[in-house]
Amino acid sequence: MLPIQTKNLFKLDQSTLGLGCMNVSHAYGPAIDESDAIALLQAAYDIGYRVFDTATLYAFGRNECLVAKALGSVRGQIHLSSKCGMAGVDGKRVIDGRPETIERQIDESLSRLQTDHIDLYYLHRVDRQVPLEDSLKPLVQAMDEGKIGAIGLSEVPASTVERALAVAPISAVQNEYSLWSRNCEIALSDLCREKGIMLVAFSPVCRGFLGTDWANFTGFSAGDIRANMPRFQPDAIQANRMLQAEIQVVAEDLSVSSSQLALAWLLNKGGHVFPIPGTRSAAHLRENFEAQRLVLDGSVVARLDSIFSPERVVGNRYPPLNQSEIDTERFDFERH
């Protein structure tokens, strides 16, 4: 292992991993106790994480408030990312990219985060009912006013990024990217590398699949979105466990965990790739952070590429309704 390396991220020298903050209060079962969540986020800062990612949607605004409580005292030392365009309305998730909505959500995020400046602000989803250019206008205005430092997009293909670049300076694209979700490699990753855009990889350890003891698994807790995801249905789990077993062999050969190996694999994909693993575990915080020390040779990368070749993964990324809300690239063999 080598010392952890840093790289320039939006004009800040940080580690090569950020922290996805969603997990502590949204989508993976009931929110953990607020005091425990605050302690976890503060532990992440103490370990060395400096990039923290949240969103208007997460816990319908409460996640942003939580991040402010946990990290407000070190606001000047962290890079803060959030998102707009998808929020909780009357208890339901709503995609709304109208300019007036985006403008309001920017100010609401600033208020919840207790800051006058968000370093990176994403359009969380493209609203199919609103021209992309209209949704981006208030983000450009907010950037001009100093409310946000950079603009990002989430869950979009290369074609949408190119369209956006005609009207806005896009600094980052946040898409799911991991060993078992490699759609970014169709076109988006190359475009980001070419344009100097950071490809922010969410769910980089396969939504926790690699670290789960499936032999003793008793089911998902209420509110865990994975319960409805095709890859986490019983038949798919059984098939994908073969991939889990294969990567575990590689990990054991290197004396690392499968999650560390998955993160190191992503970091090998280029300096423009920036993973943001999330966790509810202090032990996993440190374990993930230490993955930055791994250096993989070409033969290991090739072996992992082969184990997780896209056609070997059973199940789509999302159920039909969620899939219909995004237009990220899909492989020819994927069901439509």
Side-chain angles (χ1 to χ4, degrees), residues 2 59 69 71 107 127 142 155 176 191 220 233 243 253 269-270 280 320 323 327:
L2 297 178
K69 288 182 180 180
L71 301 170
D107 289 337
D127 185 344
E155 286 280 40
E176 184 173 356
L191 178 68
F220 294 106
Q233 300 312 300
L243 308 183
D253 286 344
K269 292 298 178 176
R280 296 181 169 195
Q323 188 63 50
D327 61 349

Side-chain angles (χ1 to χ4, degrees), residues 122-235:
Y122 295 90
L123 182 64
H124 205 162
R125 290 289 187 276
V126 173
D127 185 344
R128 297 181 187 274
Q129 307 304 314
V130 179
L132 173 62
E133 293 78 4
D134 290 351
S135 295
L136 289 172
K137 284 179 182 178
L139 292 172
V140 173
Q141 180 178 342
M143 189 174 175
D144 291 341
E145 294 172 350
K147 292 181 177 181
I148 65 176
I151 299 170
L153 298 171
S154 178
E155 286 280 40
V156 295
S159 58
T160 297
V161 177
E162 291 181 308
R163 178 180 169 188
L165 284 169
V167 297
I170 303 300
S171 296
V173 177
Q174 184 174 140
N175 277 23
E176 184 173 356
Y177 189 16
S178 67
L179 280 165
W180 78 350
S181 294
R182 295 171 60 183
N183 302 68
C184 290
E185 296 177 359
I186 297 173
L188 181 64
S189 182
D190 286 344
L191 178 68
C192 288
R193 183 187 293 108
E194 174 190 339
K195 300 294 185 180
I197 295 171
M198 194 66 71
L199 176 52
V200 179
F202 75 81
S203 298
V205 293
C206 305
R207 297 188 182 272
F209 184 87
L210 296 179
T212 300
D213 177 8
W214 296 106
N216 296 304
F217 181 69
T218 57
F220 294 106
S221 59
D224 194 317
I225 61 173
R226 293 173 294 182
N228 294 317
M229 289 183 162
R231 289 179 184 174
F232 288 93
Q233 300 312 300
D235 289 348

